[in-house]
Amino acid sequence: MTLRGGLTLLVVAAAVLGQSHNHRADPTYSGWNVLEVKALPPFLNLEALGFPSHMDLLSFNTGAGTTLLAVAQERLTQFMQRLTEAGVAFQTKINDLSQLFIRPLTYDVTRSLPRGDLTFDRYMYYQEIESYIEALPSKHRNKVQVDEIGRSVEGRPIYLITINKKTKTRKVDKPVIFIEAGAHAREWVSPASALYLVERLLESPSLLRNAEWRLVPLLNPDGYVYSWHHDRLWRKNRAPSSVPECFGVDLNRNFDFYWGGVQAGRDPCSDLYQGSNPFSEPESRALRKAVSAVKRRTKAYISLHSFGQTFLYPWSYSRAGNNSKSKDLVNLADGMVRKIEAAGGTRYNISSSGVSLLVGGASDDWVASQGVPYVYTMELRDRGETVFHLPEHLIVPTGEDVWTAMKYLGRKLRYRRKNKRN
Ligand SMILES: [Zn+2]
């Protein structure tokens, strides 16, 4: 299809779908369909389509040229008609999105865990995560340090958990492995997997001897809370914008490396809104501070997202993608993928982020630009079948995928370090 066709589609569909604003037409998503459309966001121009009031961009794959969209029932027929008229192929994946979300929407938030406890039998809500993190240092005095690295727009603390085995001798500068999770509010399995990793690391003295692990398990606490109580598919933070009814910046478009480049939104109502400036948001500034403090000794950085089951490596901003480290990055990812499968986990792909996604202002690119050698965005389970609401019985298996990969990474980086000395 030509660009002209796309513009026609956009103008007509914009008229059909009405004004762009930030309130979902129906936050229970009753009757919303999920469509896989054979076109990409800049071409579809979702902002003009009335997204996000009656549509939600769930994911896109630049390599495959496809977009996964949720569409409100009352707009569905017209939207499908427009796609057909414009010659854009599409496929219905899910008929009623609300069926996936019924349990958390009726979840009994009064039955909370005892203070400091955690569970992987279900997703933990914000107060439980916060209380678990705050209790960590007193439970593991010689291994864990918790720092507040900033506060969110609504004033919630953003925590950094440092796990390190303290030695009696002089403090040595161990290599750092840095994990970022929860940048996108609706990707609940991301913070859950980060906390799973914390628990596993604390049982593994050998991995703590040779590396210091730093984790920001919930970068976007405001968005996380909003995704529990108001809109299960909320993605951004909760910053007010120049448009009174539109909130939120996509934190993973707010970093100062090719900010405002490809696949970033200039419209504050877009789910991909990049913010008014690079690092305009307190959440991304907090992460910048935490990364900058240890960037010299950070050997690896993993940004946990969902969904897609893919290890993505920089650069994200360019399709040319290849940086001088591509071969090393692919080899190391290949080792992690094999270990996950050998441990009974699921199949992960490996791809250059520029080929799969092509986005500007993402945290992975910014961290790589700071000189950190091994940077990945790990898209966790699944492949889109459950649209961010990965069933609770898959929290532990997904956490195991991350744990298996990180165990391999930790050992591999230690091995390389030894080699260098010899
Ligand atoms: Zn994400």
Side-chain angles (χ1 to χ4, degrees):
M1 191 168 100
T2 61
L3 183 61
R4 185 181 293 275
L7 289 172
T8 310
L9 164 70
L10 166 161
V11 172
V12 178
V16 170
L17 297 173
Q19 288 298 305
S20 155
H21 61 88
N22 240 38
H23 305 288
R24 303 290 182 202
D26 170 15
T28 70
Y29 296 95
S30 176
W32 282 55
N33 275 37
V34 175
L35 306 182
E36 188 184 73
V37 177
K38 192 86 183 144
L40 286 168
F43 177 73
L44 281 168
N45 198 343
L46 296 168
E47 287 160 24
L49 282 171
F51 157 89
S53 60
H54 293 88
M55 277 194 186
D56 194 296
L57 168 64
L58 301 173
S59 72
F60 56 88
N61 184 321
T62 303
T66 55
T67 303
L68 206 58
L69 282 170
V71 184
Q73 195 175 29
E74 63 265 40
R75 310 291 194 197
L76 191 65
T77 313
Q78 296 106 309
F79 183 61
M80 284 175 162
Q81 242 166 34
R82 301 300 164 199
L83 289 176
T84 307
E85 283 164 20
V88 177
F90 64 91
Q91 214 187 333
T92 303
K93 293 285 186 184
I94 293 172
N95 282 316
D96 183 359
L97 201 47
S98 68
Q99 293 302 310
L100 292 174
F101 302 153
I102 278 172
R103 278 193 63 202
L105 287 173
T106 57
Y107 192 79
D108 180 6
V109 291
T110 58
R111 270 187 320 124
S112 65
L113 292 167
R115 212 170 159 68
D117 270 15
L118 90 169
T119 180
F120 299 110
D121 296 338
R122 59 167 173 81
Y123 293 100
M124 285 161 69
Y125 46 89
Y126 172 73
Q127 289 81 355
E128 292 176 322
I129 293 176
E130 190 186 35
S131 119
Y132 164 75
I133 294 172
E134 284 172 353
L136 272 173
S138 57
K139 283 195 270 181
H140 306 276
R141 279 188 199 287
N142 56 351
K143 284 186 201 158
V144 179
Q145 184 182 325
V146 170
D147 295 291
E148 187 182 309
I149 54 170
R151 292 240 160 184
S152 66
V153 168
E154 292 175 350
R156 293 185 178 87
I158 298 164
Y159 291 115
L160 168 71
I161 303 172
T162 303
I163 307 177
N164 194 347
K165 189 156 172 49
K166 295 211 173 68
T167 50
K168 284 186 187 128
T169 52
R170 194 167 55 86
K171 199 184 159 206
V172 279
D173 276 353
K174 290 181 189 176
V176 168
I177 299 176
F178 203 115
I179 317 287
E180 170 216 318
H184 289 146
R186 61 197 181 183
E187 299 166 11
W188 289 1
V189 77
S190 163
S193 299
L195 297 185
Y196 189 86
L197 182 60
V198 168
E199 286 291 297
R200 294 296 245 156
L201 284 169
L202 288 169
E203 302 163 349
S204 312
S206 70
L207 276 174
L208 306 185
R209 253 193 303 277
N210 299 293
E212 178 175 303
W213 297 77
R214 294 194 165 219
L215 301 97
V216 176
L218 187 57
L219 182 62
N220 179 10
D222 299 350
Y224 188 78
V225 169
Y226 197 79
S227 73
W228 269 83
H229 301 292
H230 301 282
D231 181 349
R232 179 64 188 89
L233 291 182
W234 189 256
R235 170 181 168 96
K236 302 185 282 182
N237 75 353
R238 290 294 301 163
S241 76
S242 55
V243 182
E245 67 271 28
C246 291
F247 287 79
V249 168
D250 182 344
L251 297 177
N252 208 29
R253 300 290 183 280
N254 193 236
F255 287 77
D256 194 9
F257 192 76
Y258 286 85
W259 177 85
V262 282
Q263 315 273 22
R266 283 167 192 80
D267 177 355
C269 302
S270 163
D271 247 0
L272 305 176
Y273 180 48
Q274 65 203 13
S276 55
N277 300 290
F279 291 119
S280 58
E281 303 311 296
E283 294 89 352
S284 47
R285 287 200 299 275
L287 189 61
R288 173 178 64 181
K289 191 172 114 188
V291 170
S292 299
V294 286
K295 68 178 181 189
R296 257 189 327 101
R297 56 189 182 103
T298 302
K299 294 286 174 286
Y301 185 95
I302 321 294
S303 174
L304 298 177
H305 285 255
S306 74
F307 46 82
Q309 291 174 206
T310 305
F311 282 87
L312 299 165
Y313 58 89
W315 303 106
S316 287
Y317 76 92
S318 159
R319 197 167 298 186
N322 287 343
N323 62 53
S324 57
K325 291 224 172 305
S326 290
K327 214 174 147 215
D328 281 353
L329 284 161
V330 171
N331 284 341
L332 194 59
D334 193 54
M336 291 191 275
V337 167
R338 282 164 196 270
K339 286 285 178 191
I340 291 171
E341 277 185 76
T346 193
R347 171 93 205 150
Y348 282 75
N349 299 329
I350 303 164
S351 172
S352 148
S353 186
V355 169
S356 282
L357 287 180
L358 194 65
V359 301
S363 72
D364 53 3
D365 271 12
W366 178 77
V367 172
S369 79
Q370 299 301 295
V372 174
Y374 294 97
V375 178
Y376 299 96
T377 290
M378 188 177 175
E379 296 281 2
L380 302 171
R381 299 188 191 201
D382 49 17
R383 293 196 188 274
E385 297 90 332
T386 58
V387 188
F388 301 110
H389 197 64
L390 191 71
E392 287 156 335
H393 72 271
L394 292 175
I395 298 173
V396 168
T398 307
E400 275 292 314
D401 293 346
V402 174
W403 164 237
T404 306
M406 292 306 101
K407 205 164 38 174
Y408 178 80
L409 186 79
R411 294 197 172 130
K412 206 70 189 166
L413 293 182
R414 176 188 62 179
Y415 180 65
R416 275 157 201 255
R417 207 163 161 257
K418 268 187 189 159
N419 265 4
K420 223 176 246 175
R421 247 185 272 141
N422 292 343

